[in-house]
Amino acid sequence: MSLLGRAGLDFRSWAKSLRNAKQIILICIAGIVLAMLGLRILGTSTDTFIAISLYHSISGDTLVPLVFGIATVGDLIWAPLIFWLYVFRKDSNEWTSSLILAVAMVTAMSLTDVLKAAFNLPRPFQVPSLGIVARGEIPTNPGFPSGHTTNAFTVATVIWSRYTAWRVPFVLLAIATAVSMIILGLHFPSDVIGGAFLALGLAKLRSSK
């Protein structure tokens, strides 16, 4: 047994995954590009209009804790879910699910950070002319793509491919997370759309192995 030996590398299954998932991955790449070009660059007015409208959909601070709570659950639910599937479940299929989800999440978070640094785009509350104030927290990293949305949709995609009965709740949570991030003034629609497409591609790639 060797940690670095070539015999243990998984090149064949990764190549198979790329072939099996190439269509959805291409769609996801196109979605990220369209979110960037169609909204952030060419459709800036639409991007900002939706952001401002959703931000003002709640008035005052009464509902902010609820919206922030939804976003937090969507962002972090992967951690207890992996723990539950791996530690408390005895079915080997669920152990596999926990590992798939763990790898998908680590990859998603890493790539999200890389893309944020590469694009370095501001968040709504960082654009003074919009009159938006950050609610719940004040993140300092760039906006595109949305990390919370990427995390929530990564979980939803893995669940979709492996647990039919839980598809709807997790998809609804992912959508609610994306909308919540806009309401909180932390992201533009383009950020959450880019995050959703990024998650779909990464989770589909790992789930197809």
Side-chain angles (χ1 to χ4, degrees):
M1 182 179 295
S2 172
L3 181 63
L4 301 176
R6 290 180 57 83
L9 294 178
D10 195 22
F11 290 134
R12 289 185 179 180
S13 65
W14 271 105
K16 182 180 179 181
S17 292
L18 287 171
R19 289 194 299 269
N20 293 340
K22 64 181 179 181
Q23 184 175 1
I24 187 67
I25 291 174
L26 288 174
I27 291 173
C28 292
I29 292 174
I32 294 172
V33 172
L34 288 175
M36 171 65 70
L37 294 178
L39 289 175
R40 267 301 177 110
I41 297 177
L42 299 178
T44 303
S45 59
T46 302
D47 208 21
T48 54
F49 174 77
I50 296 174
I52 293 172
S53 298
L54 285 176
Y55 176 79
H56 289 295
S57 65
I58 64 171
S59 57
D61 296 329
T62 305
L63 294 177
V64 169
L66 174 62
V67 176
F68 184 74
I70 292 172
T72 302
V73 171
D75 180 39
L76 300 177
I77 195 170
W78 61 271
L81 187 57
I82 290 173
F83 190 80
W84 167 260
L85 290 172
Y86 192 79
V87 176
F88 291 112
R89 305 295 288 176
K90 61 181 180 180
D91 189 332
S92 60
N93 178 67
E94 293 179 338
W95 296 343
T96 301
S97 296
S98 70
L99 293 175
I100 288 174
L101 181 55
V103 172
M105 289 305 306
V106 170
T107 306
M109 289 187 289
S110 299
L111 191 52
T112 297
D113 287 342
V114 170
L115 292 177
K116 282 179 179 291
F119 291 116
N120 195 31
L121 293 174
R123 297 170 181 268
F125 71 87
Q126 295 172 328
V127 182
S129 61
L130 299 183
I132 290 177
V133 177
R135 294 163 165 166
E137 64 177 343
I138 305 178
T140 57
N141 58 343
F144 186 92
S146 166
H148 282 66
T149 305
T150 302
N151 290 352
F153 271 93
T154 297
V155 174
T157 305
V158 173
I159 294 297
W160 184 280
S161 66
R162 303 184 70 83
Y163 299 97
T164 305
W166 289 93
R167 286 177 173 178
V168 173
F170 278 90
V171 169
L172 290 178
L173 175 60
I175 294 172
T177 300
V179 174
S180 295
M181 296 307 291
I182 302 175
I183 292 175
L184 293 171
L186 304 180
H187 282 291
F188 288 100
S190 55
D191 300 336
V192 301
I193 292 172
F197 275 107
L198 174 62
L200 292 174
L202 291 173
K204 177 64 177 176
L205 172 61
R206 189 65 213 182
S207 296
S208 65
K209 292 187 66 177

